[in-house]
Amino acid sequence: MTWRTAARTLAPVLRQGFGDALLPQRCIVCGRYGAALHDACLDALPHADPPRCPRCWLPTAGSAREARRRDGACSRCAAAPPPFEGLRTPYRFVGAARRAVIEAKFRGVSALLDPLGRASARVVPGWWSVDAVTPVPLHGARRRRRGFDQARLLAATVADELGVPLTDGLLRRVRATGAQTALGMDRRRRNMAGAFEVRAAPPPSVLLVDDVATTGATLGAAARALLDAGADRVYALAIARED
């Protein structure tokens, strides 16, 4: 890598770092200065409260008897469960929670990722007993354009909160998949097939971290790669769930 290439790669990171350090932070919810997201405003974001499917974390419907017969899973997961054992998110991808994710992801307000990561860690069930936390990685070209990897920053906070190792670099995105916003579930799954490779032997129980869960196709593809590489169980965590 030449010094010019290195400078172009580091410039967005340095600009964002200096901006976070020098500019006064203003809460995206209440507008007051002092933090990118105050604790009280964090608690006021739209929560993804149960009853929800413990496997895909979509809201569940139907009778309690039906839920017990499926071990609480929704009918879709009962028929075709995703590769990950369970998914949790503290928030729904609406309102201020959606704005917070977009500000962090696309507008470089990385100061939001620490409080959102701490909130995400709090909804991880203790019985999952994960051995390590790993982010769902961006493709290298997208990471260079954006200047940072938001899932990696989230995963670092989650790992610190849970007191387990961060296995950064365990997964690599080997194929650029493009935007999936306009794609349905089946097309998203086909689009993500084979998008990840595992670069080392995974631990038995892995917690995957990403920013948003929509259809679960990205988390599912990453989980499948880890399972095929030898992981026993994979769990999934995101800031928000699109219902």
Side-chain angles (χ1 to χ4, degrees):
M1 178 185 290
T2 67
W3 70 268
R4 289 188 179 86
T5 302
R8 286 195 299 269
T9 302
L10 289 173
V13 181
L14 294 174
R15 283 197 301 270
Q16 183 59 45
F18 287 136
D20 286 347
L22 298 176
L23 295 177
Q25 291 183 342
R26 190 169 186 173
C27 179
I28 67 162
V29 175
C30 69
R32 292 181 292 115
Y33 288 101
L37 189 56
H38 292 107
D39 288 342
C41 296
L42 185 70
D43 292 338
L45 296 181
H47 288 253
D49 293 325
R52 287 175 173 266
C53 172
R55 197 74 182 243
C56 71
W57 208 234
L58 280 174
T60 54
S63 68
R65 182 178 180 182
E66 289 172 340
R68 285 195 298 272
R69 188 164 60 243
R70 300 191 300 261
D71 294 326
C74 67
S75 57
R76 188 178 70 188
C77 287
F84 45 82
E85 297 288 324
L87 167 66
R88 295 294 185 275
T89 75
Y91 305 115
R92 293 180 291 123
F93 192 54
V94 295
R98 183 177 185 276
R99 182 183 172 196
V101 172
I102 290 172
E103 291 283 334
K105 185 173 183 175
F106 296 114
R107 297 177 183 166
V109 188
S110 57
L112 289 164
L113 295 173
D114 184 66
L116 292 170
R118 286 187 278 109
S120 300
R122 287 197 291 269
V123 301
V124 175
W127 55 266
W128 279 6
S129 299
V130 297
D131 298 310
V133 174
T134 196
V136 174
L138 286 174
H139 188 267
R142 184 172 294 179
R143 185 178 62 250
R144 287 189 293 273
R145 287 195 303 269
R146 192 170 294 172
F148 69 102
D149 187 332
Q150 74 281 353
R152 196 270 172 202
L153 297 177
L154 277 172
T157 297
V158 170
D160 186 61
E161 290 289 309
L162 297 180
V164 297
L166 173 69
T167 55
D168 190 23
L170 179 61
L171 279 170
R172 186 168 75 95
R173 194 179 292 240
V174 294
R175 184 166 55 80
T177 52
Q180 300 211 110
T181 306
L183 303 181
M185 182 181 297
D186 290 340
R187 288 188 64 191
R188 286 185 186 221
R189 287 176 177 169
R190 290 195 297 270
N191 193 39
M192 293 305 304
F196 299 99
E197 72 171 12
V198 181
R199 307 182 72 183
S205 180
V206 182
L207 178 62
L208 270 173
V209 175
D210 206 356
D211 48 17
V212 178
T214 50
T215 64
T218 300
L219 288 164
R224 173 50 57 198
L226 289 166
L227 292 169
D228 289 346
D232 294 329
R233 299 175 308 282
V234 179
Y235 301 95
L237 179 69
I239 297 169
R241 180 69 160 101
E242 187 175 86
D243 293 342

